[in-house]
Amino acid sequence: MDLLLDSLFNGVAIGSVLLVAALGLAIVFGLMGVINLAHGELMMLGAYTTYVTQLIFKIPILKPFYNSYIIVSIFLAFIVSGVVGILLEKTIIRKLYGSPLETLLATWGVSLILQQFVRSVPLAYGTGLVISLIIGLFLPSTFPLKIKESINFKYFKFSSWILAALTGVLTGSVISSTVSKLSRASARNVDVTAPSWMRGQVEILGTAFPKTRLMIIVITLISVIAITLFLNQSAWGMRIRAVTQNRQMSDCLGISTEKVDIITFGIGSGLAGVAGVAVSLLGSVGPNVGGNYIVGCFMVVVLGGVGNLLGTVLASFGIGIMTDLIGAGRLLSIWPNMPLPLSNTINFFATTSMARVMIFALIVIFLQFKPTGLFPQKGRMVEN
Amino acid sequence: MRISRRILAGLATASLAVTATSCGGGGTSGSFDDTVTVGILHSLSGTMAISESTLVDTEKMAIEEINAAGGVTVGGKSYKIEYIVEDGASDWPTFAEKSKKLIDQDGVPVVFGGWTSASRKAMLPVYESKDAFLYYPIQYEAQECSNNIFYTGATPNQQSEPATDFMYKRSPAAGGDFFLVGSDYVFPRTSNTITKAQVKQLGGKVVGEDYLPLGNTEVAPIISKIKKALPEGGIIINTLNGDQNVAFFKQIQDAGITPSSGYYVMNYSIAEEEISTIGPEFLEGHYGAWNYMMSIDTPASKKFAKSFKERWGADRVVADPQESAYNMVYLWKQAVEDAGTFDDNAVREALVGQKFDAPQGPVEVMPNHHLSQTVRIGEINAEGGFTILEETGVVLPQAWNQKHPSSKGFACDWTDPSKGEKYKL
């Protein structure tokens, strides 16, 4: 029982990291069909947001609230990655819908740019830049309708961008003068330290569980529930699903597909940011942090069935549990007296590297029989 | 502790000159008869840039110190050392390509470079075919002895062997079982083969071993294995690389694998630089083994740390790889002066037997092109440094490890033409 619980927990813990990382991709790749290789770098931005938030909460005024910085950073990371995602969609991806190869190359280029950006720009000014992007993109939409429809709207838009740039520069220099760690560019990996209430273990049913892992599981669950509710219950969720199934028909019926694309991509990117927060709790934060997850993300989405959230959930927990079963050699402790050749084989695969090989092999075999994944898209899909 | 008077005098003038120039605000305009250009080849971009750029900083510092003390004197003429820095870009074929460029195009007499074993293995054929000379400053897995490479880092018997001995005999977990964790590449695998043989000789038991693929930070399966194999605590030998250490230490602490519950981790890749990245709060109470530690309380060590901080910023630290890089520049200078020429073969002959009063203490070049060094075991403290617990005497380097089954009974000696790269003892 103890063993089972331990194994199940480990599997769920590994799976939830995969799931939270793949969730955004499941939306962007699954619903929109965009192969976004910069997904990992959007995660990285989320992880850096956590780091910056942590340091800002060390400023004397905010110090009393230090313990809650991780909660705040989840929302901030969602916004930061979401905004960068929206910008990416507006400037690059929009022009490349329907040409997967070009999208792949372009987003790969973006991922390199983002990596180099955090290496060579001081984080304080990076924060300033993101703040001006947020203001510049969202301020015009808060204007009253009268201004929006006026002929001079472009001047309003232009002046709001100037305001945004000024605010960005100002916040950048304020942050860089108050937090010295953010004032210099550095390629060095940085470290997010979980607040004290999140460190150590809790005991449930006689087994000790690390708190950070539980936190990641909670973040993942909340994201999955929120995104499911959004897609199935809200008006925009219905529009997104409509556009996914038949873009032209939706367009004819008056759904603004352009807006739908922006929202879908923004949410997918925002979720990548949330994943970045989760990942920053496990390891260090550096320019390459997202790149380590991107292959795993695509693997989960393909295995689960493109365009199906339930499939993504099951696939990531499946992979998580298999990783633990194979990698930690669990079968040997469940069945200690198995025949020698079998136990030798299991021992051979019971290392982290070999477990990965085994799991990839199993996935390849599985996809031979079910090429569309666990839950293939059913119903009438109009392909272009 | 025999240090030649000439070197001491040289060091004294060096330190005098350094103070003099730092007061004058840099810009040495000493009169030199000529210049000599050396090559520096490390990664300035890519994954390894973070680590390797510290070596470039240290080598530049050593060169400037030597220049400030009058440069290199060869045949009565004083030479100012100039350098060309090339970027290996964390890409191993690039290291080979840039080596060719430095040797053929720039005609440098020596290249100081490399960090990863992969980069060294890529450069080795270039230096051997062109009969040029590479100085390599990193502690590594040994099992190599080239006539064209000079290794100033520790071999396993100058780092992991004394460390394993300490863990098994004198650490708080003495007599306990061993669990080996490493990144999945050549250094951890070779190092662990040696450790396993040694633990067996000592009468201990290795109860588990696992390797994390480079770039992977999911440590959960390894943690459950450690807990299963060492339920009551024990010794963990860690050869993980770079930021995988951050994931490892964060997650084992959350899982309750800490010194206070009887688990002690001995690290071979964590120096002062890495401690500050990982955070001392995760590492306190664990161990490290190096030849040089910043906390060594000798004038030479303090001076080394002080001049580095003065030059590159007060928040910078010095660590073992940097000390090796510093030593190799000085050893090259001494060998050139003794040989009276920059010619490879003469310098190579003059190099063996060179002694230098390094920040770690005296070192001497051995006939197998490695250094005799002192080994220190330190406990990581809350300030992010090491509290030195033990210090061996001078340990001679073994290019071919005597505990590794494939090299037992072999040695290397380049001073005797009948022995060479690998001969039977």
Side-chain angles (χ1 to χ4, degrees):
Chain A
M1 181 63 205
D2 206 37
L3 187 84
L4 189 72
L5 195 69
D6 200 34
S7 181
L8 193 68
F9 175 78
N10 257 319
V12 170
I14 300 170
S16 60
V17 176
L18 275 176
L19 177 55
V20 76
L23 200 57
L25 199 75
I27 290 170
V28 169
F29 177 52
L31 298 184
M32 299 173 76
V34 172
I35 300 178
N36 182 14
L37 283 186
H39 184 76
E41 278 57 42
L42 292 168
M43 276 173 74
M44 172 205 62
L45 288 183
Y48 270 100
T49 309
T50 320
Y51 174 68
V52 172
T53 318
Q54 180 196 4
L55 287 183
I56 288 177
F57 268 74
K58 280 184 179 160
I59 298 174
I61 322 165
L62 289 170
K63 191 92 190 182
F65 310 103
Y66 180 73
N67 276 336
S68 59
Y69 87 83
I70 202 87
I71 312 285
V72 176
S73 59
I74 293 175
F75 293 100
L76 289 181
F78 183 86
I79 295 170
V80 169
S81 299
V83 164
V84 174
I86 288 174
L87 189 78
L88 186 65
E89 202 273 341
K90 279 192 160 200
T91 50
I92 297 168
I93 293 173
R94 164 162 311 168
K95 312 214 165 38
L96 298 172
Y97 282 128
S99 39
L101 197 61
E102 284 81 349
T103 321
L104 189 134
L105 285 173
T107 50
W108 185 61
V110 170
S111 81
L112 295 182
I113 293 171
L114 287 175
Q115 282 185 19
Q116 208 53 46
F117 178 82
V118 295
R119 277 200 193 101
S120 41
V121 175
L123 286 176
Y125 290 98
T127 315
L129 184 67
V130 171
I131 288 174
S132 22
L133 279 181
I134 295 173
I135 296 175
L137 283 174
F138 289 110
L139 193 63
S141 58
T142 58
F143 291 154
L145 205 62
K146 217 173 147 192
I147 299 180
K148 269 191 201 168
E149 281 168 354
S150 89
I151 190 118
N152 292 328
F153 184 54
K154 55 179 182 230
Y155 299 113
F156 281 100
K157 229 175 162 178
F158 183 69
S159 48
S160 73
W161 271 108
I162 291 179
L163 184 73
L166 284 176
T167 328
V169 171
L170 194 71
T171 36
S173 41
V174 167
I175 294 175
S176 94
S177 59
T178 41
V179 189
S180 65
K181 271 191 183 165
L182 298 179
S183 61
R184 262 177 298 154
S186 159
R188 210 166 286 247
N189 280 19
V190 293
D191 191 26
V192 170
T193 314
S196 50
W197 60 270
M198 267 181 58
R199 284 161 70 179
Q201 322 185 20
V202 282
E203 217 156 278
I204 302 170
L205 298 171
T207 319
F209 299 115
K211 284 183 190 166
T212 41
R213 289 290 187 171
L214 288 174
M215 181 73 181
I216 293 175
I217 294 175
V218 171
I219 294 178
T220 310
L221 281 181
I222 293 176
S223 316
V224 171
I225 292 170
I227 202 68
T228 316
L229 285 180
F230 174 77
L231 283 180
N232 292 321
Q233 305 292 330
S234 74
W236 275 111
M238 196 170 14
R239 285 176 202 143
I240 290 175
R241 284 182 295 139
V243 172
T244 308
Q245 285 183 6
N246 192 332
R247 180 174 286 267
Q248 273 133 8
M249 186 61 84
S250 315
D251 210 1
C252 292
L253 290 172
I255 297 174
S256 162
T257 54
E258 199 171 289
K259 249 186 186 163
V260 165
D261 286 338
I262 290 182
I263 289 178
T264 318
F265 202 84
I267 288 176
S269 310
L271 286 172
V274 175
V277 181
V279 164
S280 74
L281 292 172
L282 290 178
S284 71
V285 177
N288 302 323
V289 67
N292 299 335
Y293 287 89
I294 188 82
V295 175
C297 291
F298 275 105
M299 192 168 81
V300 166
V301 176
V302 171
L303 181 65
V306 176
N308 190 307
L309 278 187
L310 181 67
T312 309
V313 174
L314 288 183
S316 34
F317 286 138
I319 292 177
I321 290 171
M322 288 299 279
T323 307
D324 185 65
L325 272 182
I326 302 171
R330 296 273 181 195
L331 286 175
L332 281 178
S333 26
I334 295 168
W335 183 21
N337 305 319
M338 67 174 72
L340 200 64
L342 199 58
S343 73
N344 279 344
T345 318
I346 288 176
N347 257 331
F348 177 71
F349 283 105
T351 65
T352 315
S353 344
M354 287 316 290
R356 230 169 129 87
V357 172
M358 181 80 164
I359 283 167
F360 265 99
L362 288 177
I363 290 175
V364 169
I365 293 170
F366 180 84
L367 291 178
Q368 296 293 313
F369 293 101
K370 287 195 80 139
T372 41
L374 281 170
F375 293 96
Q377 192 87 294
K378 284 205 187 83
R380 282 178 292 169
M381 280 282 283
V382 177
E383 301 271 321
N384 292 322
Chain B
M1 284 292 287
R2 270 189 19 249
I3 308 149
S4 79
R5 204 172 293 156
R6 199 171 54 79
I7 299 169
L8 267 182
L11 269 180
T13 35
S15 57
L16 265 179
V18 167
T19 17
T21 48
S22 53
C23 289
T28 51
S29 54
S31 53
F32 295 98
D33 300 320
D34 206 346
T35 60
V36 57
T37 307
V38 298
I40 293 178
L41 175 51
H42 292 289
S43 301
L44 299 175
S45 54
T47 335
M48 293 306 299
I50 302 165
S51 311
E52 291 194 50
S53 57
T54 64
L55 299 187
V56 178
D57 292 347
T58 318
E59 284 153 18
K60 281 184 186 170
M61 177 175 100
I63 290 172
E64 283 167 32
E65 275 182 21
I66 292 172
N67 283 340
V72 194
T73 316
V74 175
K77 272 169 81 182
S78 68
Y79 287 82
K80 183 183 181 192
I81 310 179
E82 282 176 352
Y83 47 80
I84 298 176
V85 182
E86 285 292 346
D87 180 9
S90 309
D91 177 55
W92 322 139
T94 308
F95 272 94
E97 194 184 300
K98 297 278 173 150
S99 295
K100 277 184 200 151
K101 185 232 164 204
L102 283 170
I103 301 165
D104 292 340
Q105 208 171 313
D106 303 318
V108 299
V110 63
V111 175
F112 303 109
W115 179 296
T116 62
S117 287
S119 70
R120 190 190 64 252
K121 296 266 185 214
M123 289 188 281
L124 186 130
V126 176
Y127 289 87
E128 290 194 337
S129 68
K130 299 189 185 293
D131 200 22
F133 218 6
L134 170 72
Y135 285 55
Y136 174 76
I138 298 299
Q139 128 275 3
Y140 78 120
E141 70 281 359
Q143 311 300 77
E144 182 182 303
C145 189
S146 167
N147 198 17
N148 298 76
I149 300 184
F150 166 55
Y151 312 80
T152 57
T155 56
N157 74 306
Q158 292 174 318
Q159 189 194 26
S160 76
E161 290 184 19
T164 309
D165 198 62
F166 166 81
M167 290 312 277
Y168 191 69
K169 288 182 180 156
R170 298 179 294 280
S171 75
D177 290 340
F178 281 78
F179 194 98
L180 315 178
V181 184
S183 299
D184 204 355
Y185 71 106
V186 58
F187 169 67
R189 285 195 179 262
T190 313
S191 172
N192 284 343
T193 310
I194 295 165
T195 306
K196 278 189 280 184
Q198 191 188 354
V199 171
K200 207 171 165 189
Q201 274 181 14
L202 288 169
K205 224 167 80 192
V206 174
V207 289
E209 179 181 9
D210 205 343
Y211 297 95
L212 205 56
L214 285 166
N216 189 342
T217 47
E218 185 52 84
V219 195
I222 295 187
I223 288 175
S224 34
K225 272 194 192 164
I226 293 179
K227 282 191 151 174
K228 201 171 80 181
L230 302 171
E232 304 299 325
I235 302 160
I236 300 166
I237 302 281
N238 167 27
T239 37
L240 285 171
N241 206 24
D243 43 328
Q244 289 189 314
N245 276 308
V246 183
F248 181 69
F249 280 101
K250 267 187 179 175
Q251 294 180 38
I252 62 169
Q253 195 182 59
D254 282 337
I257 300 178
T258 56
S260 58
S261 48
Y263 295 90
Y264 294 89
V265 184
M266 169 54 89
N267 302 290
Y268 297 154
S269 313
I270 295 182
E272 286 82 351
E273 189 82 37
E274 287 77 23
I275 297 177
S276 67
T277 319
I278 301 167
E281 67 269 28
F282 295 107
L283 289 167
E284 200 184 340
H286 295 301
Y287 298 96
W290 291 107
N291 303 123
Y292 175 78
M293 288 172 176
M294 203 166 133
S295 50
I296 297 173
D297 197 12
T298 61
S301 158
K302 282 183 172 166
K303 183 187 149 269
F304 174 57
K306 190 166 161 267
S307 24
F308 191 80
K309 279 169 185 281
E310 269 171 10
R311 199 168 297 255
W312 301 109
D315 57 336
R316 297 287 300 269
V317 292
V318 284
D320 183 273
Q322 284 156 280
E323 194 247 7
S324 296
Y326 182 78
N327 295 347
M328 69 184 179
V329 179
Y330 270 97
L331 285 165
W332 171 77
K333 178 220 171 206
Q334 282 173 209
V336 168
E337 289 187 339
D338 271 11
T341 165
F342 290 108
D343 178 69
D344 287 337
N345 289 316
V347 174
R348 184 181 304 148
E349 260 169 48
L351 191 60
V352 175
Q354 285 296 341
K355 289 175 185 156
F356 176 58
D357 189 22
Q360 62 164 287
V363 295
E364 187 182 342
V365 183
M366 291 290 133
N368 60 5
H369 286 190
H370 290 68
L371 287 187
S372 68
Q373 318 210 47
T374 310
V375 188
R376 293 176 172 88
I377 312 287
E379 188 186 328
I380 298 168
N381 56 37
E383 286 78 49
F386 288 102
T387 310
I388 298 172
L389 304 176
E390 276 190 12
E391 221 176 279
T392 64
V394 170
V395 179
L396 296 181
Q398 294 172 357
W400 301 103
N401 191 276
Q402 296 308 303
K403 295 201 164 65
H404 197 286
S406 75
S407 58
K408 202 170 179 171
F410 288 94
C412 167
D413 184 347
W414 287 110
T415 53
D416 184 343
S418 66
K419 288 176 175 169
E421 186 178 354
K422 192 174 184 180
Y423 69 95
K424 216 164 174 66
L425 282 169

